[in-house]
Amino acid sequence: MWTIAATWCMALEGARKGAEILKEGGNGADALEALITDVENDPCFTSVGYGGLPDAEGHLRLDAGYMDGTKMVTGSVMAAEGFASPFRIARSLSAYKTNTVLCAEGAEKYAREHGFEEKEMRTESSQQRWKDSLEQDTQSAYRGHDTVGAIALDEEGNIYAGTSTSGLFLKRPFRVGDSPLIGSGFYADSEAGAAVATGLGEDLMKGCISYETVRLMKEGLSPQEACDRAVSELAVRLIRAGSEPGDLSVVAVSKDGHTGASSNISEFSFVFADCDHEPEVYLVRKEGHCSIYEKAPEEWIRDYMMRHNKR
Ligand code: ASP
C-alpha cells in the first residue's frame, strides 16, 4: 500500500514521477523529492521555485520544509536565494540533530558549502511581473501565491511531508509564511498520518493547521474529517476574533493510505494517487460542513494549464 498526494493541479506531473517510485517499492522521501522538485523546476508554475514570485525588492527568496514521520526529523529553509531546490536543502538538514532550520544567508552558506546547485531563480517573466506590479496597489499584488505541499506514504508504512514556495507575491523582504514552519505548513507522523497546507500563511500558522490535522487523525478522525474540522474550526475562531480568514486549504493522508482535503475557498485543487488510483486532479467543494472531492473535468485541467502557459 502506498499513497502520494499534493496541493494544487500544478503537482500532477510530479505526482506521476513520485507514484512511479512508490509503485516500484521505492522510498517515500525520494518520491516526495521527485514531486516537489518537478514543480520547483517548472517556470510555468510561478509561485514555487524557478520563475517564482519576487518579493517587494524584486528578490526571489524561497521557503521549503521537510519532515520524516518515522524518524521524526525535520529540516527547513526560509528566504533562501539563488539555489535550484530549496526543498532538497531542507531535506538534507533533517540529517542533523541541531541547526535544522536555517534562514536567508545562513541557509545559503550551508547550501554552498554542501554543493547544492546554485541558480538564478528569477526568469525574465518573473522579473517583468515584479516590474509591472510596481504600478499596482499592494493588496491586489498580494493575491499571487500557492505552495506545493506534498505527502508520500511508502510500502514500508513510512510517511513524509514537504513544502516549497516563493510565498506571497511582493512580500516584505524576509517575510516567512507557514510553509517552512513545522506543524503549520507541514507535519508527518507515521503513527497517525501527515498533512500539508496552502493559503494565507499568516492565518494558517495561527491554527498550527498541519499539526492539528494530524492530531485529529491520531484521535481517530478520518483524514477527510480531520481536514474539515481543522479548517472550519480555525476559520470560525478567526471570525469570532473579528477577522476575515484568509485562504485556508489542507490535504492529509492517514497512515493507512486514505486521503482527505478541505478548503474555505471555492476552487481548491489537489492531486493524489495510490495503489488503486492513477494520479489525477481533484476539486474540493463544500457540502454543508463537509467537503467532498471529485475528479476535475479535463476541460478544467486544460484551462488551469493554459492559465499557467503550460502545454
Ligand atoms: N502559504 C504560503 C505562504 O503564506 C502561500 C500559499 O500557500 O499560497 O507563504
Side-chain angles (χ1 to χ4, degrees):
M1 182 189 65
W2 56 267
T3 301
I4 191 158
T7 54
W8 307 112
C9 182
M10 64 181 163
L12 180 60
E13 205 41 55
R16 290 189 179 125
K17 294 181 179 162
E20 282 309 310
I21 294 174
L22 294 170
K23 222 181 261 174
E24 301 297 315
N27 173 266
D30 294 338
L32 195 68
E33 183 168 313
L35 187 158
I36 293 179
T37 53
D38 181 81
V39 186
E40 286 179 332
N41 290 335
D42 194 332
C44 293
F45 302 124
T46 55
S47 55
V48 176
Y50 184 55
L53 299 165
D55 66 15
E57 287 178 344
H59 287 260
L60 183 45
R61 296 184 170 112
L62 301 169
D63 301 332
Y66 168 79
M67 184 164 186
D68 171 334
T70 298
K71 296 189 187 140
M72 297 303 273
V73 294
T74 67
S76 292
V77 296
M78 304 174 183
E81 199 173 3
F83 287 88
S85 173
F87 174 78
R88 282 203 178 111
I89 307 169
R91 181 182 172 188
S92 96
L93 285 169
S94 72
Y96 302 93
K97 180 76 182 160
T98 54
N99 303 308
T100 55
V101 179
L102 296 180
C103 68
E105 268 178 49
E108 292 155 18
K109 188 165 189 284
Y110 167 85
R112 210 166 292 120
E113 283 170 5
H114 289 79
F116 285 92
E117 186 191 343
E118 298 195 39
K119 186 168 171 179
E120 168 55 76
M121 296 297 273
R122 289 169 299 190
T123 56
E124 253 174 53
S125 76
S126 70
Q127 298 194 59
Q128 193 54 51
R129 287 182 80 177
W130 175 71
K131 282 184 196 135
D132 294 346
S133 75
L134 298 176
E135 281 145 36
Q136 288 177 21
D137 76 276
T138 329
Q139 282 313 317
S140 61
Y142 267 119
R143 297 249 15 114
H145 52 91
D146 278 351
T147 298
V148 59
I151 299 166
L153 169 69
D154 64 24
E155 292 274 10
E156 307 275 298
N158 302 310
I159 199 158
Y160 305 84
T163 56
S164 185
T165 191
S166 55
L168 299 187
F169 185 30
L170 299 184
K171 65 189 176 187
R172 188 178 273 273
F174 305 103
R175 171 264 186 195
V176 173
D178 61 303
S179 309
L181 302 185
I182 301 136
S184 288
F186 63 100
Y187 196 77
D189 179 348
S190 300
E191 293 178 4
V196 287
T198 179
L200 184 66
E202 283 74 358
D203 278 351
L204 290 163
M205 59 174 102
K206 291 172 191 166
C208 298
I209 197 158
S210 294
Y211 176 77
E212 176 62 5
T213 306
V214 174
R215 191 191 68 76
L216 290 166
M217 289 192 282
K218 209 167 209 169
E219 280 193 352
L221 270 66
S222 71
Q224 188 54 54
E225 290 165 343
C227 288
D228 277 331
R229 174 93 68 90
V231 168
S232 66
E233 285 190 354
L234 177 57
V236 166
R237 182 66 190 90
L238 294 175
I239 291 165
R240 216 164 47 238
S243 83
E244 168 85 22
D247 296 1
L248 311 171
S249 304
V250 232
V251 173
V253 173
S254 60
K255 67 173 186 210
D256 49 6
H258 296 294
T259 302
S262 187
S263 179
N264 68 344
I265 64 170
S266 57
E267 197 172 76
F268 175 57
S269 60
F270 73 103
V271 172
F272 95 84
D274 60 25
C275 24
D276 302 318
H277 301 89
E278 290 299 312
E280 303 270 11
V281 180
Y282 294 83
L283 286 171
V284 179
R285 71 181 163 80
K286 276 261 174 295
E287 240 176 45
H289 288 299
C290 306
S291 307
I292 54 169
Y293 56 83
E294 284 163 348
K295 235 184 247 180
E298 280 305 317
E299 227 178 273
W300 185 91
I301 299 173
R302 248 196 323 273
D303 186 57
Y304 178 96
M305 295 300 180
M306 263 169 58
R307 271 187 275 141
H308 290 85
N309 294 319
K310 176 99 184 150
R311 275 159 231 290

